[in-house]
Amino acid sequence: MNIVVLISGNGSNLQAIIDACESGKIAGTLRAVFSNKADAFGLQRARDAGIPAHALSAGQFATREAFDRELMQEIDAYAPDLVVLAGYMRILSPAFVAHYTGRLINIHPSLLPKYPGLHTHRQVLENGDAEHGTSVHFVTDELDGGPVILQAKVPVFDGDDEADITARVQAQEHAIYPLVVSWFADGRLKMQDNAAWLDGQKLAPLGHASDE
């Protein structure tokens, strides 16, 4: 199982996946890491692990589509079975999503379908929510709207700030993202009929082990 990861920043979820591959929890090989930010610390994490690390700047391209075409070409050189978005902060073109449909996953820091897009932790605090969390989902053309695979919930306490919630959510992300990647690598997980399926069973709208 060949895995390629896309990042834009620190790469803490990338590190969790690197560690899971190295420990044998994921039956796959992380072939390359790509970033749209040359100074993303996640690229250094990849290099430290001996993984090819590439940066591609959007400023070199006239359009989003041109950027994504080049990115697809460079990703495909590694023959990926799975492309993992781990804090990749660019909207993907429809052509990119279509090219990797069924083998493109993302992690989003909210309990989808609540709070797609940015600033999820801030919205949780502003709305006084009692719980928050994170969702792993297949990627479709709808922003943060693809089939949910797995969610993890965290409590929100009085006095929490964004840093508190971020740390709590990330701890769960580092557990569930490698798990979902391992399901895919083991052939247990797939997207079919715009739904996530695990072990031949169609998952509920909120993913595996949800209350629905």
Side-chain angles (χ1 to χ4, degrees):
M1 176 68 64
N2 293 334
I3 303 164
V4 171
V5 178
L6 274 59
I7 62 166
S8 292
N10 180 51
S12 65
N13 276 308
L14 166 64
Q15 188 65 58
I17 293 168
I18 290 172
D19 294 345
C21 287
E22 290 180 345
S23 68
K25 292 179 180 176
I26 293 174
T29 302
L30 222 172
R31 294 295 182 189
V33 174
F34 289 85
S35 178
N36 62 316
K37 304 284 187 182
D39 60 351
F41 182 67
L43 292 174
Q44 189 58 50
R45 293 181 188 271
R47 295 184 191 105
D48 290 345
I51 299 164
H54 306 276
L56 199 63
S57 171
Q60 301 170 249
F61 301 89
T63 64
R64 183 184 308 279
E65 289 73 20
F67 176 93
D68 279 4
R69 277 197 300 273
E70 176 62 25
L71 182 60
M72 282 190 283
Q73 189 171 349
E74 295 194 21
I75 290 172
D76 285 350
Y78 292 97
D81 300 292
L82 180 65
V83 177
V84 177
L85 306 178
Y88 185 66
M89 302 301 290
R90 276 181 62 84
I91 302 295
L92 298 168
S93 65
F96 188 100
V97 172
H99 185 67
Y100 296 110
T101 187
R103 53 188 176 126
L104 181 63
I105 61 175
N106 182 47
I107 193 161
H108 180 74
S110 81
L111 295 173
L112 292 171
K114 291 184 76 172
Y115 308 129
L118 300 175
H119 309 304
T120 61
H121 308 317
R122 185 184 310 165
Q123 293 180 74
V124 163
L125 289 174
E126 288 174 348
N127 292 329
D129 292 1
E131 70 176 5
H132 187 31
T134 183
S135 307
V136 181
H137 65 96
F138 282 108
V139 176
T140 64
D141 280 338
E142 183 184 354
L143 178 65
D144 299 323
V148 173
I149 301 162
L150 184 62
Q151 293 185 328
K153 297 178 180 179
V154 300
V156 180
F157 299 117
D158 290 342
D160 275 345
D161 60 19
E162 283 191 54
D164 296 324
I165 296 177
T166 298
R168 206 172 294 137
V169 168
Q170 284 189 341
Q172 293 300 316
E173 289 182 344
H174 300 163
I176 71 170
Y177 214 6
L179 177 61
V180 169
V181 173
S182 76
W183 289 347
F184 194 94
D186 291 341
R188 298 175 57 194
L189 174 68
K190 65 179 179 179
M191 186 173 82
Q192 180 179 316
D193 301 326
N194 202 39
W197 293 69
L198 182 66
D199 297 331
Q201 300 294 315
K202 183 178 178 180
L203 296 182
L206 298 183
H208 177 64
S210 67
D211 296 332
E212 294 189 6

